[in-house]
Amino acid sequence: REVTINGQTARLYRTGDLSRRLADGSIEVIGRTDGQVKLRGFRIELGEIETALRSLDGVAAAAAALRPSPRGDTQLVGYVVAKPGADPTPESLTRALTARLPGYMVPTAWVFLSALPQTANAKLDRKALPAPDASATVTALQTDPKTETERRMAEIWCAVLGVETVSTTQTLFALGADSLTVFRIAARMIDAGLDIEARHLLEHPTIAELATYVDATSQKDAKPKKPSLRSYRRGAQRGST
């Protein structure tokens, strides 16, 4: 982005967006000059995912891209070329990346290739990466709720996400939650008497982690209860003056 100051053109910062000015003066955005993508409100550097993947045992080459999901939206797909004799699985790759990257940067589908497609200049041809079939989507190992807090949270998550079951070890991001969904879940939990905020969901994105946090903090001195959304309906919060 450039501005004119005292008759001199100066660059403020490089946005990474690729665009062109049309004859009528309008700007047409073509795409980006880097590997940054946006998924469910999060900006993601594909190169960061690819670097993390290449650092894993058994991975010779890797790529990442956004592709359509069976649900009709987009999903983050990981492409892996295994080293000779190695046999990485979607589950092992998911676990390994979860320990290295935020949940929203962990691919939810995987494709295993003998080689990554390349351009004539021997660079990764991201456009030629194949779309995964429905069976490539990773299904997390199902972990059922064990405590009363986990059961209460699982009911809320299922209701807001529109699913029948949810694993207590599956992250919100892997389930397709966006920022609005996070706030809806937080609001439902406050209504249910669970003293948490949206930021706690981002800090503890699985039911197991969040329930442990809630149960631990509930043992401390009681704090003023956050007002439920019901308190604001139909003017319920208007105190008498």
Side-chain angles (χ1 to χ4, degrees):
R1 180 178 177 86
E2 297 180 346
V3 295
T4 301
I5 303 176
N6 297 328
Q8 300 293 322
T9 299
R11 173 174 292 174
L12 290 179
Y13 57 89
R14 185 185 297 275
T15 66
D17 293 312
L18 180 64
S19 60
R20 62 181 178 181
R21 187 185 298 275
L22 302 180
D24 60 2
S26 60
I27 302 296
E28 179 186 7
V29 178
I30 301 173
R32 294 190 60 83
T33 59
D34 54 19
Q36 189 181 94
V37 297
K38 191 172 183 180
L39 178 65
R40 304 186 190 103
F42 296 98
R43 291 194 177 275
I44 299 172
E45 289 287 351
L46 295 177
E48 187 174 351
I49 300 172
E50 294 166 353
T51 299
L53 273 172
R54 288 193 294 268
S55 70
L56 302 182
D57 292 339
V59 176
L66 281 186
R67 290 292 184 270
S69 76
R71 297 188 301 270
D73 55 1
T74 55
Q75 63 182 341
L76 194 58
V77 180
Y79 297 86
V80 172
V81 177
K83 291 182 179 178
D87 186 24
T89 64
E91 290 78 16
S92 65
L93 293 171
T94 299
R95 292 192 193 98
L97 281 190
T98 299
R100 290 169 168 79
L101 299 172
Y104 60 85
M105 293 180 68
V106 178
T108 54
W110 298 90
V111 176
F112 296 89
L113 303 171
S114 58
L116 296 178
Q118 294 184 333
T119 65
N121 297 326
K123 294 183 178 181
L124 173 65
D125 188 352
R126 206 176 295 277
K127 293 181 179 180
L129 291 169
D133 54 31
S135 63
T137 300
V138 175
T139 301
L141 297 176
Q142 181 66 30
T143 306
D144 296 325
K146 297 181 177 65
T147 67
E148 179 60 25
T149 302
E150 288 185 354
R151 282 189 285 271
R152 292 170 65 191
M153 289 183 176
E155 290 179 359
I156 294 172
W157 284 35
C158 287
V160 176
L161 293 168
V163 296
E164 294 184 2
T165 61
V166 61
S167 173
T168 59
T169 57
Q170 197 167 13
T171 68
L172 275 168
F173 314 111
L175 290 165
D178 55 18
S179 56
L180 181 57
T181 303
V182 170
F183 280 102
R184 285 174 176 168
I185 291 176
R188 291 283 191 95
M189 288 189 171
I190 292 174
D191 274 351
L194 298 169
D195 189 27
I196 65 167
E197 301 173 2
R199 64 184 177 88
H200 296 132
L201 285 163
L202 299 178
E203 295 168 357
H204 312 281
T206 70
I207 289 176
E209 294 176 13
L210 191 62
T212 298
Y213 169 79
V214 170
D215 288 340
T217 55
S218 65
Q219 302 300 321
K220 299 179 182 178
D221 294 337
K223 296 180 291 186
K225 183 180 178 181
K226 294 181 178 63
S228 164
L229 290 185
R230 295 192 182 96
S231 303
Y232 293 94
R233 292 171 185 161
R234 294 184 294 275
Q237 277 289 316
R238 296 173 187 166
S240 58
T241 56

